[in-house]
């Protein structure tokens, strides 16, 4: 890999970790962590999703995701139901409590994002969002998440 490419990727990773740290500091919800809220949001938007799909969509370690899902299930936030075609695979859905939390945490995250986007003028905001969309598409293609998104859209 060329030196400039490597440096650019490292810059993106540092920016990503700064953004996660920023949202983590601002995210104040008593019933779940920021990572839990992200997973709850994914399940809310994709009822019946499988853990493997979540892991691919957000590149979260499978072991960590398993522990996180177990904790959410134990607390009555989500349910894991065996699929008819495979007892070992489970579809994940939110309970009523999980749906309520999804709405509340989404509002918190949306307000935080809007607060930070408000610091940019219209031209900067447009350019920033275009770069984010492009980066998201590239990362989705590299991790296989785009295939999962396409499959879920077709269902």
């Amino acid at each position: 890999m060329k030196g400039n490419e490597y440096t650019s990727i490292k810059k993106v990773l540092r920016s990503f970790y700064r953004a996660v740290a920023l949202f983590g500091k601002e995210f104040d919800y008593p019933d779940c962590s920021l990572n839990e809220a992200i997973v709850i949001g994914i399940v809310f938007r994709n009822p019946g999703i499988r853990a493997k799909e979540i892991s691919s969509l957000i590149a979260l370690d499978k072991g960590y995701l398993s522990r996180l899902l177990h904790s959410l299930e134990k607390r009555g936030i989500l349910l894991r139901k065996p699929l008819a075609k495979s007892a070992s695979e489970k579809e994940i859905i939110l309970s009523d409590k999980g749906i309520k939390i999804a709405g509340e945490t989404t509002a918190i995250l949306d307000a935080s994002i809007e607060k930070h986007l408000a610091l940019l003028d219209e031209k900067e905001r447009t350019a920033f969002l275009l770069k984010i969309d492009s980066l998201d598409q590239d990362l989705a293609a590299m991790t296989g998440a785009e295939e999962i998104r396409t499959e879920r859209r077709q269902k």
Side-chain angles (χ1 to χ4, degrees), residues 38-99:
I38 291 167
V39 170
I40 290 167
I42 289 170
V43 176
F44 180 75
R45 289 184 302 280
N46 301 281
I49 194 167
R50 293 182 294 283
K52 184 169 128 180
E53 294 172 311
I54 295 171
S55 180
S56 292
L57 285 173
I58 56 175
L60 201 57
D61 174 74
K62 291 177 185 175
Y64 176 71
L65 178 61
S66 179
R67 290 188 301 277
L68 194 145
L69 291 172
H70 179 74
S71 173
L72 292 171
E73 185 177 31
K74 193 172 164 183
R75 292 171 13 226
I77 295 170
L78 62 78
L79 308 164
R80 292 193 277 185
K81 296 183 176 184
L83 292 173
K85 61 184 177 184
S86 169
S88 64
E89 271 197 287
K90 295 181 174 32
E91 67 175 353
I92 303 166
I93 59 173
L94 294 178
S95 65
D96 290 342
K97 180 180 178 180
I99 292 169

Side-chain angles (χ1 to χ4, degrees), residues 1-46:
M1 181 182 297
K2 295 179 184 173
N4 287 343
E5 293 170 338
Y6 182 72
T7 301
S8 295
I9 290 171
K10 285 174 62 177
K11 284 180 185 177
V12 168
L13 290 173
R14 280 194 302 271
S15 295
F16 168 76
Y17 288 118
R18 279 195 299 267
V20 169
L22 177 68
F23 285 108
K25 286 179 188 173
E26 293 182 357
F27 185 77
D28 185 22
Y29 191 79
D31 289 340
C32 65
S33 69
L34 179 60
N35 282 340
E36 288 173 332
I38 291 167
V39 170
I40 290 167
I42 289 170
V43 176
F44 180 75
R45 289 184 302 280
N46 301 281

